[in-house]
Every structure is written in C-alpha cells, then in structure tokens.
Amino acid sequence: SGSAAAAAVILSRRLGAVLLLVLLLIAATAAAAEGSKSGSGDGKAHNYEEALRKSLLYFEAQRSGRLPHGQRVPWRDHSGLTDGLEQGVDLVGGYYDAGDHVKFGLPMAFTVTMLSWSMLEYGADVAAAGELAHALEAIKWGTDYFIKAHTQPDELWAEVGDGDTDHYCWQRPEDMTTSRQAYKVDRDHPGSDVAGETAAAMAAASMVFRKSNPHYAHLLLHHAQQLFEFADGYRGQYDSSIAEVKSYYASVSGYKDELLWAALWLHRATGKPGYLDYVVDNAHDFGGTGWAITEFSWDVKYAGVQILAARLLLRGEHTAEQKRTLERYQAKAEHYVCACLGRNAQAGGEDANVERSPGGMLYIRQWNNMQYVTNAAFLLSTYADYLAEAGVGTVTCAGGETAGAGEVAALARAQVDYVLGTNPRGVSYLVGYGAKYPARVHHRAASIVPYKHSKQFIGCSQGFEHWFGRRSSNPNVLVGAIVGGPDRRDRFRDNRDNYMQTEACTYNTAPMVGMFAKLNRMAREERERRAATARSGTVS
C-alpha cells in the first residue's frame, strides 16, 4: 500500500542518517586523532574534560556584583555594588567582558547566547562531565543581569562604566574609583543591535532552563519577546545612541543581522511561525541571503544566522513557500564553512577563503584573533552535526567544489586542539591548561595581589607603577580564559602590555564550553571502541 511504501522510505532515510552520523563521527575522530596527539607537548591526547571544567571556572573570575558563597575563584571579591545607583536603577551583577571593568551589553549578551547555544547542542555532554550546574550558573549570572537591565519594555541599560576613564586605571575591581555611569537605549535613543542580541540571549537561555526552572524560562522568554519588539519597532544602531561605546564595541555590521538572529532564536524558542516569516521576508533587505561572510563574532552575526536558517531547511521545519529563501540562506552558510576549509573558488576574490597560519590556525585579524577561531570551531561543529542528522554528507562550495561533512567536523576539532597546544609553539592558549600557557595575561584583577590577601587600597596610577609593568607572572592564574592568541605566523609574545594577544574575553571561551563537552564525549567513545576491540581480539 501507499502508507507502507511511505513508511519504508522514512525508515530507510532514518537508517541512512544514523549510518552517516556514525561514519562521520568515526571519520572526524580519526582525522583529528593524530593532530590532537602531535602538538600537546608530551604526545598525549588532550584532556577535554579538564578543559571544560576550567573554561566554566573562567566565568566566575569575570563576575561583577556581590559574589555568592559558592564562588570558586578565591582571588575575586565583591565589586561594582553601586552600579546604576546614580540613575536610580539596580545594575549590580553581570560580567566584565575582558581585562577591564566596563560592563558592555552587546558582547555580554553574545557571550550568553553562545553559552546557551553550547548547552542546547551539547548540554547532555556537559552534564555527563558533571558540569551542568556550573554551566547553568554561568548563563544565569548573565540573564539575571539582563532582567535587571531591561527596566521598561522599550528601555535597556546597555553599558555601565566608561571605557576611557577605565583604561586610565590599572586597579582591582574591588578598588574601582572610575566612573560607573550607566547608559541606556530607548525609543528616542534606539539600539536594535544590543536589544536584538539581548533578546537572542534570553530566548536561547529560556530553552536551557525550560526543564529545570520553567518559571524562570517563561520570564526570560517574556523579556526576549519584548526586547525584540523594541529592537524592531525602534530601529537604530546603539553606538549612535551611546557615543561612549564607539571606541570599544562599535556595531560595524549594523543591527540587521541581530534582528534576524533574534527572530531565529525566538522561532526556535516559541515555534511561532511569525518569527520565521520575519526571517524569510527580510532575508534580502537585511542582508541575510546577500552577505557572504568569512567571520562570526559578537558584532557580525550573519554566519550564525545563515547556519540557524540552514538547520531549519535540513530539518524540514518550513513551508513550501519558505524553502527557496532558506536554500539561499544555506548557500551562504556553506560559503562560510567552505571559506574556513579554504575551498571556495578564487574567482570570488582574495576574501573568498579564510587565511591559515603555518600551524593551521584560522586567521581573520590581528586583534584577538582567537575569538574568530573558537566561534568558527563551534559553527563548523554544529553544522556538521546538522548535516549528519539530515543524512547529508557534503557541503557545496562557491565554484562547485564539494567537501565532506566529516572534513568540516575534523577542522572544528583541529582548531580546538590548536587552542589547547597542538601548535608550533606547543603553547595552550587556554590559561591554566597544559604545561605551557600565557603567564602575563592582560587582566587587572589577575595581575594584582588578591584583595582578600591585601585589602590595602590600590589606586589608578599605583596599579600601573607597581603591578602592570612587572615582568613576573601574574599572581593569580586566570584559569579557563582564552587569550587573543598568536599572529598570522603563529608568533605570540606573552607580555601584559601586548593586549592584542594576551587579553582574554568572555566570548572567546563561551563557544568552547560546547566544543570541549562534545570532544570529551567523542574521546570517551573512541576509548570505549578501542577497549572493545582489544577485548574482542583477546577473546579471539
């Protein structure tokens, strides 16, 4: 009968997808196995579980506000306890983005989005490693702050502190004497990019908390929906409304990528077709199907947008009318993937592919290149997974060349291994991991004696005079931080004043939480396969 034939087709597709997933897993593991051993210094494979534990510890070192009793980073203490007071709002909490003490809303929100995406894709792997509670705490520390910062439906506090005055000081956050002026976006001073990214973060996080804390998940989703309406209804760049942010986190890509990004996350969180209609209807005008991008970051979200849209196509979660537009999104998603692989036809120009260092690191630009590496690893990994789930084995590159999905997954793993020490210098750029890692991270709190050991006040210039210029290692190890990393020739100078390479940021580490968890599971499965093979060989 027709129903029996249809069932047979569905069954064969599912079996084919399962078989392809297994083959891709084996291929990715084998392709990266040698790389994960060759550069780790002692010839041993990387310990992804240790890397996962340490990466989550880093977020506790970046906390602002009143620290909880369970705080695991002993050299940090309460800070920023009057944030928002001058403006009559409670803005205590949240994260410092890097080595200074300004709370920038756009990169903080992107950090939480990527932490949440990590959990949505690899949450079971995080839980299997015993790190679920810490991962949820890392996300909630950010979303609790966003709830405070979203004071009215059309009002969001987007920055606390001033970058100019902050950078004149080198002092512990516990001693802060710099301006804690707060800045907001509202109807008269719009900020669609920061409001859109915060909506994305809260929508993604709502799904993470849906089972463990449904009331909190509902609250996050409510804020996310309001923020998206605000971002879309009152359009404008936040750096036009908040001039103080322009020198630090300017929205170079504009706000249209964040609107598409937020709509996709809200569609995933709610299932409401209106959000997908928005992404399809605005695909051309907002650049979603126009921009062929080779980077993904706190500013430029297009590659992430395109991969999320391609996921919907691969899963068949669309109407017939939406299919053609989603195919265009997928073509641009695969341009990004192929750019990382170096497979796009050179007819697309010099920028068609991502440059590689001699050691194999993806290279975008000099300042904090590692953010592009870690985010690329995550996008490549998730896209390879989406392909495998759909039973698709290849990606199509500009010019017609194809690449295997297993190759995509292997590149993602190779980038992670580079971060962990499989590189020409044998240096781990994850602080606190491995035998060699950066010792003079550009980070105020890490570079000065802990407040709990010496509560004597350290002023702005005093910090520069007595601590910044020291050649010795930082007194506090910023465990789990991923620094800016080496240049295009794999060269790295471990000096505190070399902020382009030695400063770490929250959005460098966030996507690696998912990657470390996934690779830890893959490594465990590989060990189990080898053990089973050895046992069967012994028996025979």
Side-chain angles (χ1 to χ4, degrees):
S1 67
S3 59
V9 169
I10 292 169
L11 180 60
S12 67
R13 284 180 178 173
R14 287 180 177 173
L15 288 171
V18 170
L19 179 60
L20 180 61
L21 182 60
V22 171
L23 291 172
L24 289 177
L25 183 64
I26 294 170
T29 301
E34 287 304 312
S36 67
K37 292 177 181 178
S38 60
S40 55
D42 54 8
K44 294 180 180 178
H46 290 300
N47 188 333
Y48 300 114
E49 186 171 328
E50 178 191 347
L52 171 62
R53 287 198 307 271
K54 290 181 172 178
S55 68
L56 286 166
L57 195 62
Y58 166 63
F59 293 98
E60 297 190 25
Q62 296 302 110
R63 286 171 170 171
S64 180
R66 185 169 294 279
L67 304 186
H69 293 298
Q71 171 78 11
R72 298 180 296 156
V73 178
W75 46 270
R76 280 298 322 284
D77 210 330
H78 311 311
S79 64
L81 299 182
T82 61
D83 284 0
L85 187 64
E86 291 179 31
Q87 287 73 37
V89 291
D90 176 9
L91 296 175
V92 177
Y95 287 113
Y96 303 122
D97 71 299
D100 50 24
H101 305 136
V102 183
K103 294 192 297 200
F104 292 105
L106 182 56
M108 192 194 307
F110 180 67
T111 295
V112 172
T113 305
M114 295 309 294
L115 279 171
S116 299
W117 197 359
S118 283
M119 292 302 293
L120 291 171
E121 302 296 342
Y122 308 117
D125 299 331
V126 173
E131 291 296 318
L132 178 61
H134 294 139
L136 295 181
E137 286 170 11
I139 294 170
K140 194 170 185 292
W141 195 265
T143 51
D144 282 351
Y145 175 76
F146 298 147
I147 290 170
K148 289 182 175 184
H150 185 210
T151 43
Q152 299 290 337
D154 298 335
E155 180 178 89
L156 176 68
W157 294 87
E159 181 180 338
V160 178
D162 171 58
D164 292 341
T165 60
D166 188 273
H167 284 198
Y168 280 119
C169 281
W170 193 266
Q171 59 183 162
R172 301 173 298 198
E174 295 83 3
D175 290 327
M176 261 193 294
T177 55
T178 49
S179 168
R180 300 309 286 172
Q181 172 77 30
Y183 305 88
K184 68 178 180 178
V185 292
D186 55 27
R187 293 185 180 191
D188 297 323
H189 311 90
S192 300
D193 25 33
V194 68
E197 184 59 58
T198 309
M202 297 179 96
S206 74
M207 289 182 277
V208 175
F209 288 103
R210 189 171 286 166
K211 288 184 179 178
S212 63
N213 195 340
H215 173 75
Y216 188 66
H218 180 76
L219 178 63
L220 292 177
L221 193 55
H222 174 71
H223 279 279
Q225 290 172 312
Q226 281 193 340
L227 280 165
F228 178 73
E229 292 303 317
F230 166 45
D232 188 44
Y234 299 90
R235 295 180 185 176
Q237 289 189 201
Y238 89 123
D239 56 6
S240 295
S241 298
I242 304 173
E244 289 76 7
V245 81
K246 204 143 196 159
S247 299
Y248 302 96
Y249 285 101
S251 184
V252 177
S253 71
Y255 59 80
K256 292 176 180 178
D257 52 338
E258 276 86 9
L259 289 177
L260 295 171
W261 178 243
L264 279 163
W265 281 114
L266 280 162
H267 175 261
R268 188 163 171 175
T270 65
K272 292 182 178 179
Y275 290 117
L276 183 52
D277 290 339
Y278 182 94
V279 173
V280 169
D281 293 345
N282 291 291
H284 175 74
D285 291 346
F286 284 11
T289 55
W291 283 107
I293 296 293
T294 57
E295 66 181 78
F296 175 60
S297 68
W298 59 266
D299 178 28
V300 188
K301 311 291 163 43
Y302 282 112
V305 165
Q306 291 154 357
I307 281 176
L308 284 179
R311 173 183 175 270
L312 295 173
L313 179 68
L314 290 165
R315 293 168 65 93
E317 296 176 4
H318 56 80
T319 65
E321 293 77 15
Q322 295 167 335
K323 184 178 181 182
R324 188 172 179 183
T325 300
L326 291 178
E327 286 173 341
R328 289 198 289 268
Y329 271 112
Q330 185 184 32
K332 291 299 188 287
E334 297 202 341
H335 180 278
Y336 172 81
V337 171
C338 292
C340 293
L341 290 168
R343 294 293 186 82
N344 285 321
Q346 291 303 315
E350 292 182 4
D351 298 331
N353 293 303
V354 178
E355 183 182 342
R356 298 264 193 105
S357 72
M361 176 188 68
L362 295 172
Y363 183 83
I364 299 293
R365 58 180 57 88
Q366 184 178 3
W367 195 327
N368 188 17
N369 183 68
M370 205 53 82
Q371 65 174 308
Y372 307 107
V373 173
T374 60
N375 281 298
F378 185 86
L379 287 193
L380 292 169
S381 176
T382 52
Y383 193 62
D385 290 343
Y386 297 159
L387 291 172
E389 290 165 6
V392 178
T394 59
V395 296
T396 303
C397 303
E401 188 177 350
T402 60
E407 195 178 344
V408 177
L411 176 60
R413 181 168 179 169
Q415 296 305 301
V416 174
D417 288 345
Y418 186 103
V419 173
L420 294 180
T422 305
N423 55 63
R425 296 179 60 88
V427 172
S428 164
Y429 296 106
L430 178 74
V431 178
Y433 175 89
K436 289 169 60 180
Y437 51 82
R440 288 168 285 277
V441 180
H442 182 95
H443 190 277
R444 286 158 175 76
S447 68
I448 302 175
V449 62
Y451 180 77
K452 290 180 180 179
H453 293 178
S454 175
K455 289 185 168 62
Q456 183 176 356
F457 176 77
I458 296 173
C460 283
S461 59
Q462 189 181 356
F464 274 115
E465 292 167 4
H466 296 294
W467 296 99
F468 178 76
R470 291 192 178 197
R471 294 186 178 182
S472 57
S473 300
N474 288 350
N476 311 303
V477 179
L478 191 63
V479 175
I482 295 177
V483 298
D487 65 11
R488 58 170 23 108
R489 305 295 298 171
D490 301 302
R491 295 170 300 196
F492 179 78
R493 188 168 55 89
D494 185 14
N495 285 349
R496 206 169 289 115
D497 63 357
N498 182 21
Y499 52 84
M500 287 191 181
Q501 292 191 323
T502 64
E503 189 166 21
C505 300
T506 55
Y507 43 85
N508 294 16
T509 297
M512 296 295 266
V513 169
M515 289 305 304
F516 292 147
K518 174 188 177 178
L519 293 176
N520 179 53
R521 185 244 307 157
M522 288 176 63
R524 185 180 66 249
E525 291 171 347
E526 176 63 18
R527 289 193 299 270
E528 290 170 354
R529 277 196 296 273
R530 287 177 177 174
T533 301
R535 284 195 302 271
S536 65
T538 303
V539 171
S540 61

